[in-house]
Amino acid sequence: MTGIVARPSGPRLFAIRAAALAVAVLCGALSARPIAPVALMAQVAPAASARPADPVSNSTLDSLLFYQLLIGELEFSAGRAGNAYGVILDAARRHGDESLFQRAVEIALQARAGDQALDAASAWRAAKPGSVAPLRFQAQILLALNRPADAVEPLTAWLTAVPAVERPGLIAGLPRLLQSVAERQRSLAIVEKLVLPYLDGTATRTASRVALGRAHLAAGNLPQALGLARAALTDDPGAPAPVLLALEMLPGTPAAEQVVAEYLARLDAEPALRMAYVRQLTQSQRYADAGRQLERLTRDRPQLPEPWLMLGALRLELKQPAEAEAALLRHVELASVAPAPAAAGPAADAAHSSAAPAVVDSDGDDADDSPAVAGQAGPDLTQAWLLLSQAAEQRGDVKAAESWLTKVDNPQRALDVQVRRASLLAHQGQVKEARALIQAVPERTGDDGRAKLMAEAQLLRDLKRWPEAAEVLAAGSQRFADDTDLIYELAMVEEKLDHLAEMERLLRRVIALKPDHPHAHNALGYSLADRGLRLPEARDLIARALELSPGDPFITDSLGWVEFRLGHTDEALRLLRQAHGARPDVEIATHLGEVLWTAGQQDEARRLWQDARSRDAANEVLRETLTRLKVGL
């Protein structure tokens, strides 16, 4: 932050605008001591009856304060923050008015003058030693100035001064307050010092343990964080905060997931927590597990609309259009009659803030969480209409799919609607018209242009028009240089064109640009394993991908496949069963079936393949496998 400098100014004209501003300033600054309306009327009009007038409550505003407020606000509106700050702070000191002290702090903060803001907060604290507000400002300003050691004293005083009923909430918020501290170990030490007096308090014990657990987690101390979450939940089994802490350790921490699962096994578990867990599961593509949680939630709390929407999206992803439609129609019914939050209760806000991204529909787009557009009546059912259209398309009912799209009245989702219409046209053989429909969507930002390219390429990939998809993605990579998503998608298309050297070059470029890109590691490793090439390298690449995205069923499937190629049948079966249990995808089922077939468990293999064929008979991997193994179903 920079300082603010007071500068002298020339003559001022006090016009009508200035007078109006002065009235507004006076009403705001002296809101703690307004003139009572009845008393004001008594001063300016005779009594309407013989009854005695109400006692007069006079304002403490004097001529000097009036002048200071007027000049201070005029100076600030003219851009002379230094003058405004000095005048308002002097008025605050003369009158000891908290609203004026706060105004002085705000002027300094808006001028990015941290030291002056701190001086005003300190003066405020000295003038009003019993007030909580200046302690809050002091602590936050010191943290913004990167002075965490100096912030300990006002933070300690703030914790002491805050009303007892508010103290647990303040303790719970300490890790967030300190998130600007770059050194996580230093932040942890501060939290430890602040919560130590409250670790044994009946009302503050749970909040203190959770706050300390979050600080340990931020510092990379996973065992300590998990231990504190367990201790807090043991001491207070109904508290949602320890479960939210455990959720923050997912994915990749089975012990933390066990804490969450044990809590959710209870009948009275917070719906918001179950929804947060579902979001974590969908982020990891564990759709089968997410579906089980949503089924439990829709059974226990059938009146909540959002779980039905997410369940419908998951059913679509698993190629179950009839089940998806049933869930989506139930969502529409509930949301239309009585719009309600997804999950009410004390954990709702926290669960949403700490949860993973929302459920992904089968196009790979995030489900819409935006509020209804301006002027729109009733709930925004855009996402439901889009998913219902997709379900109808999966069933082959083009007319119904289009009818659902006509219900969408949300300009923010124009591209989504056009993509769905383009898909309908393309599957009727009107590919040129479908592409034109996507291309015609207006581009308000660069992101819009990128989204259009990705949508057009996906349309062509769905139609297996690989050369055209490659052309679109190559042009996109030229327009959006070093965009790893575009390069990755182009690599996947090059693989379909049997341009394996180019695919490998592109994937290695993605890894060079973004070393933590799990799917690039996985795709390269799987490609090598599937062709039986450089298998140890393939396993290392896939193992790295699984480190970057723990629990991802597709990456687990790849690891199982490379183990099969290496001749490790038992390990391959273990991994492939794990992947299929998390997400019963057709290709995962095909791989598991082949390993079972090779291991002599042919009846189970046939059952898997029959189920997979019932969901996606056209799947290339399934058809190639059955042909190669000469299996008739």
Side-chain angles (χ1 to χ4, degrees):
M1 292 184 177
T2 57
I4 48 178
V5 180
R7 300 193 305 272
S9 57
R12 301 174 180 83
L13 297 177
F14 298 97
I16 296 176
R17 180 172 175 274
L21 176 61
V23 171
V25 170
L26 292 172
C27 290
L30 299 177
S31 60
R33 293 182 300 281
I35 300 175
V38 174
L40 179 61
M41 292 299 295
Q43 294 179 54
V44 299
S49 65
R51 70 174 180 80
D54 292 332
V56 175
S57 175
N58 289 317
S59 167
T60 60
L61 178 67
D62 57 25
S63 60
L64 176 58
L65 179 56
F66 179 92
Y67 179 77
Q68 284 181 299
L69 295 174
L70 179 62
I71 296 302
E73 293 299 331
L74 287 171
E75 290 289 284
F76 185 69
S77 66
R80 294 182 284 269
N83 291 350
Y85 170 81
V87 170
I88 297 296
L89 182 56
D90 180 69
R93 283 175 166 144
R94 273 199 327 114
H95 286 266
D97 188 285
E98 292 207 58
S99 61
L100 294 180
F101 277 116
Q102 181 167 333
R103 182 61 182 147
V105 172
E106 290 169 349
I107 289 171
L109 290 174
Q110 290 178 48
R112 300 186 63 79
D115 290 335
Q116 284 92 335
L118 184 60
D119 289 343
S122 299
W124 181 3
R125 180 180 176 183
K128 298 290 181 179
S131 178
V132 173
L135 299 171
R136 174 171 59 87
F137 275 105
Q138 261 193 317
Q140 292 176 329
I141 292 168
L142 284 165
L143 290 170
L145 291 171
N146 196 26
R147 293 166 56 183
D150 294 333
V152 172
E153 187 277 327
L155 282 169
T156 303
W158 184 7
L159 283 166
T160 303
V162 77
V165 69
E166 298 176 16
R167 191 170 291 123
L170 177 55
I171 291 171
L174 287 174
R176 182 170 301 217
L177 271 173
L178 291 162
Q179 66 185 1
S180 62
V181 180
E183 299 175 24
R184 294 304 183 193
Q185 293 296 335
R186 191 177 189 184
S187 175
L188 171 59
I190 292 173
V191 173
E192 284 179 326
K193 183 174 183 178
L194 291 171
V195 305
L196 183 61
Y198 305 102
L199 277 170
D200 294 325
T202 303
T204 57
R205 182 166 49 235
T206 299
S208 298
R209 286 174 173 170
V210 172
L212 191 54
R214 283 206 169 89
H216 273 291
L217 183 60
N221 304 330
L222 188 61
Q224 292 89 331
L226 182 57
L228 284 160
R230 283 190 179 280
L233 197 59
T234 299
D235 186 65
D236 188 358
V243 186
L244 289 170
L245 174 57
L247 274 170
E248 292 177 29
M249 302 178 207
L250 305 183
T253 310
E257 187 162 4
Q258 184 180 356
V259 171
V260 176
E262 288 173 358
Y263 182 91
L264 293 177
R266 297 164 40 183
L267 290 174
D268 58 344
E270 285 274 4
L273 289 172
R274 197 178 298 278
M275 289 295 288
Y277 184 40
V278 166
R279 291 186 178 94
Q280 286 282 10
L281 292 170
T282 55
Q283 184 185 36
S284 299
Q285 298 191 53
R286 293 170 54 187
Y287 292 154
D289 292 335
R292 283 188 284 272
Q293 291 296 325
L294 287 169
E295 287 169 356
R296 169 72 181 269
L297 184 52
T298 54
R299 184 174 66 250
D300 292 348
R301 303 290 182 94
Q303 78 283 3
L304 297 177
E306 187 184 357
W308 291 103
L309 178 67
M310 296 184 74
L311 184 59
L314 285 173
R315 293 293 178 239
L316 272 179
E317 185 65 28
L318 296 172
K319 308 295 184 186
Q320 298 170 347
E323 293 87 342
E325 282 185 337
L328 292 167
L329 289 171
R330 180 61 175 155
H331 164 78
V332 170
E333 178 186 0
L334 291 168
S336 300
V337 173
D349 292 338
H352 279 290
S353 67
S354 65
V359 65
V360 176
D361 67 26
S362 58
D363 283 336
D365 300 323
D366 286 348
D368 182 54
D369 294 321
S370 60
V373 293
Q376 184 178 17
D380 182 11
L381 295 171
T382 299
Q383 189 64 22
W385 304 139
L386 290 169
L387 292 172
L388 280 164
S389 174
Q390 196 172 332
E393 184 181 359
Q394 279 191 14
R395 289 191 295 100
D397 191 341
V398 174
K399 184 177 179 180
E402 177 59 36
S403 71
W404 289 120
L405 291 178
T406 61
K407 293 179 175 290
V408 178
D409 184 21
N410 186 340
Q412 297 175 5
R413 303 299 297 275
L415 178 59
D416 297 319
V417 174
Q418 295 300 72
V419 167
R420 293 253 55 84
R421 287 203 167 104
S423 179
L424 294 175
L425 285 173
H427 285 95
Q428 296 175 74
Q430 302 178 56
V431 179
K432 183 179 179 181
E433 293 81 356
R435 294 180 68 179
L437 204 60
I438 295 174
Q439 293 166 0
V441 176
E443 294 181 23
R444 293 167 295 181
T445 67
D447 286 342
D448 291 339
R450 178 182 177 279
K452 286 170 58 178
L453 283 167
M454 295 288 278
E456 186 177 358
Q458 184 61 50
L459 177 75
L460 293 167
R461 289 183 64 182
D462 290 343
L463 297 170
K464 298 180 173 53
R465 299 179 71 144
W466 310 116
E468 292 163 273
E471 183 181 341
V472 170
L473 289 166
S477 295
Q478 291 293 322
R479 181 178 172 186
F480 300 97
D482 295 338
D483 186 304
T484 53
D485 290 334
L486 283 167
I487 299 169
Y488 174 80
E489 293 298 331
L490 179 57
M492 296 298 93
V493 173
E494 295 289 0
E495 188 266 341
K496 293 295 184 181
L497 290 168
D498 207 30
H499 299 162
L500 302 178
E502 179 63 6
M503 177 207 69
E504 182 168 346
R505 184 190 71 80
L506 290 169
L507 288 175
R508 291 198 183 279
R509 185 178 171 207
V510 172
I511 292 170
L513 290 169
K514 191 175 181 181
D516 61 348
H517 196 297
H519 301 301
H521 286 85
N522 180 58
L524 183 52
Y526 176 79
S527 175
L528 293 172
D530 201 41
R531 289 176 284 144
L533 300 175
R534 293 149 40 204
L535 294 177
E537 180 186 355
R539 181 166 55 182
D540 289 344
L541 284 163
I542 297 168
R544 175 59 180 153
L546 203 55
E547 288 177 10
L548 295 169
S549 184
D552 187 308
F554 284 118
I555 301 176
T556 304
D557 168 72
S558 297
L559 191 57
W561 195 238
V562 76
E563 293 290 356
F564 174 59
R565 293 293 197 187
L566 286 164
H568 306 154
T569 304
D570 290 344
E571 180 63 5
L573 281 174
R574 184 188 71 82
L575 290 165
L576 290 169
R577 287 189 190 279
Q578 178 183 329
H580 188 261
R583 177 166 178 166
D585 177 80
V586 172
E587 292 189 14
I588 297 175
T590 301
H591 288 154
L592 177 56
E594 181 166 348
V595 179
L596 287 167
W597 185 269
T598 304
Q601 302 178 46
Q602 297 183 352
D603 289 343
E604 185 178 354
R606 284 182 183 278
R607 285 194 296 271
L608 274 170
W609 287 331
Q610 287 168 348
D611 176 70
R613 190 176 64 174
S614 70
R615 287 185 285 123
D616 188 3
N619 185 274
E620 287 183 356
V621 175
L622 175 60
R623 293 171 67 179
E624 184 278 329
T625 299
L626 294 176
T627 300
R628 175 167 45 82
L629 296 177
K630 300 179 181 180
V631 176
L633 299 179

